[in-house]
Amino acid sequence: MAYRLPRYRVTLVREGSVSNSNNHIRTPQDVMDVLSTEYDNAVVEMAQMLALDTKNKIIGIFTISTGSLNASIIHPRDIFQRAILSNAASVILAHNHPSGDPTPSSEDTELTKKLVDAGKILDIPILDHVVIGDGKFVSLKERGIIS
């Protein structure tokens, strides 16, 4: 009996581009500047990832998840699948709080720690996780959650 075995090809598809005056990330403010228009008037949480090259130049922006009023599901495989496909040297995560308060929740902190550990295994560091709300941001790196 002959079996028909599936054969696959993995590709990364460019969906478009966004215009920005800065394509290098040096500070959490740079993350805010790049993504703030994505979060203006957002009524649900959206998680995004910036894929970076070895010089912290943005090579891709990925929407990881669009959630509800106060939650967005983020799984390590969703982050690192995109990081690997785009040949990212490192990544920065960001999500919004539609409430306007960018204070990270305990869930944000725990998830970030989990993702940092996964990144260490894959040798794709998570450089920061920036929470954005109402024109303000909080950097989990600056808070000491990411070392």
Side-chain angles (χ1 to χ4, degrees):
M1 178 197 288
Y3 293 96
R4 304 262 329 142
L5 304 175
R7 178 175 240 164
Y8 298 100
R9 177 173 47 97
V10 177
T11 61
L12 185 65
V13 177
R14 182 180 195 166
E15 294 182 327
S17 62
V18 294
S19 181
N20 198 284
S21 61
N22 183 16
N23 71 344
H24 282 82
I25 300 297
R26 294 176 184 88
T27 68
Q29 181 65 53
D30 292 338
V31 176
M32 173 75 173
D33 294 344
V34 168
L35 295 177
S36 63
T37 58
E38 300 279 332
Y39 296 131
D40 284 348
N41 304 313
V43 295
V44 296
E45 277 200 18
M46 294 185 343
Q48 295 190 296
M49 178 188 84
L50 301 178
L52 307 174
D53 68 10
T54 57
K55 296 183 189 229
N56 290 351
K57 180 181 173 191
I58 300 169
I59 57 175
I61 300 172
F62 295 86
T63 298
I64 302 300
S65 173
T66 301
S68 65
L69 178 64
N70 62 353
S72 184
I73 305 294
I74 301 173
H75 196 278
R77 81 173 135 250
D78 298 325
I79 302 284
F80 293 105
Q81 175 191 52
R82 289 157 177 81
I84 290 167
L85 286 173
S86 63
N87 290 319
S90 60
V91 300
I92 293 177
L93 305 174
H95 78 279
N96 66 318
H97 282 175
S99 68
D101 179 2
T103 304
S105 67
S106 58
E107 291 84 4
D108 293 338
T109 300
E110 290 308 310
L111 173 64
T112 300
K113 290 176 182 177
K114 181 179 178 180
L115 293 170
V116 166
D117 289 343
K120 287 177 182 174
I121 291 168
L122 294 169
D123 198 24
I124 303 173
I126 304 282
L127 299 183
D128 203 347
H129 184 168
V130 179
V131 184
I132 298 171
D134 199 23
K136 302 176 294 260
F137 66 87
V138 173
S139 160
L140 276 78
K141 181 173 182 78
E142 288 181 345
R143 290 247 173 130
I145 305 303
I146 299 173
S147 54

